[in-house]
Each structure stands twice: as C-alpha cells, then as structure tokens.
Amino acid sequence: MRTEARLFTGVAVFFAVTAAGYGWFSVEPAGTAALSIAFLMAALVAFFLRVQYRRRGRRAQDRGDAEVVETAGPLEFLPPHSPWPITTALGSVIVALGVVYGLWLVLLGLGVLAHGVFGMVFQYAGRPGPGPGAGQGSNSPLREGGSPPTRSR
C-alpha cells in the first residue's frame, strides 16, 4: 500500500498547488473551493493508505519476488441480500425531489435516507468475526463439520 499512498499523496499535492494557483489568479471562489475539496479527498485517501501500510506492513503485491499464492487467503463476508441499498436510493431520490418541490419533502427524504444508511451500517453489526474455519462465510453450505446443514420444518 506504500505505492498507492505515494500516488495519492502526489495527487493531493497536485490539487493543493492547483487550488493555490487558481485562488491566487482567479476572482471566482467556486473553482478554488472545488479544487480544495479535491485536495482534501485525495489527502484523506493517502492518509488512510499510509496508516494501513504502517499497521499491516508490506503486502505480497509490494514485493518483486512474491508468488501469486502468497496473496491467497480467506474471502471477506459478502451479504447475500439486503433491502437497505434500495431504501437509501429511495431516500436520495426523495431528497433530490425535495430540492425542487419544497423543504418538507427534503426533510422526509433525509429521514428515509438516514433510515437506509443506518440499516446498511448496522445490518450485520452482531455478526461474529472470523474464527476457526474463517474461509467459509456464514452463507456457506458447508460448515466446519464438512456436511451440509439440515433444515427442519
């Protein structure tokens, strides 16, 4: 991740220099604000990647002598289905329509949007972390015993 951190640091420096130059020679503040926001976003990503590199060290992708098999490992948990992305999208649409039709619709949309975001964030909050047999997620048909689970009706 060190290479990625350096890349995003370079992008952040570019946007900082561009924002400073644009702000100095321009009288229009919107472009300066947009370039400043781009600098902050790139700096945030660079900071995150640098912290991850310090915590985890070099990855196999960072070494020239690494083998492909060194990058293999357990897969992360991916949820099988969720209603929350649709709820979040509906809330975003209601907020956008509220900008056109009135504040009352914006407030209603913000409520739906917040409900969707909180639902998405906390949907699997009580799910246990990876333990023994971490390669098999909770929606895998085969558990540690090696046989499919039985269903009783």
Side-chain angles (χ1 to χ4, degrees):
M1 287 190 206
R2 187 175 199 166
T3 305
E4 293 92 342
R6 287 181 179 172
L7 176 73
F8 275 98
T9 301
V11 170
V13 167
F14 169 78
F15 278 124
V17 170
T18 305
Y22 190 86
W24 181 262
F25 292 112
S26 170
V27 294
E28 186 246 337
T32 306
L35 289 169
S36 299
I37 295 296
F39 158 72
L40 290 174
M41 292 189 317
L44 179 67
V45 172
F47 175 73
F48 172 78
L49 290 172
R50 194 164 305 274
V51 167
Q52 291 301 313
Y53 175 73
R54 286 185 183 156
R55 281 186 186 168
R56 298 181 182 181
R58 295 181 70 185
R59 300 175 300 169
Q61 293 92 338
D62 296 331
R63 298 191 332 259
D65 62 339
E67 295 292 326
V68 175
V69 74
E70 292 180 48
T71 62
L75 297 176
E76 294 296 324
F77 171 74
L78 298 173
H81 51 77
S82 175
W84 300 117
I86 295 170
T87 307
T88 305
L90 179 66
S92 300
V93 168
I94 294 172
V95 168
L97 288 174
V99 170
V100 175
Y101 291 112
L103 180 62
W104 64 273
L105 199 54
V106 170
L107 295 176
L108 181 69
L110 285 175
V112 173
L113 182 64
H115 182 68
V117 168
F118 282 120
M120 202 176 332
V121 168
F122 295 113
Q123 181 175 11
Y124 295 103
R127 182 178 174 275
Q136 297 175 353
S138 66
N139 50 350
S140 173
L142 297 178
R143 305 283 182 212
E144 291 180 32
S147 61
T150 58
R151 293 185 185 175
S152 60
R153 294 185 189 233

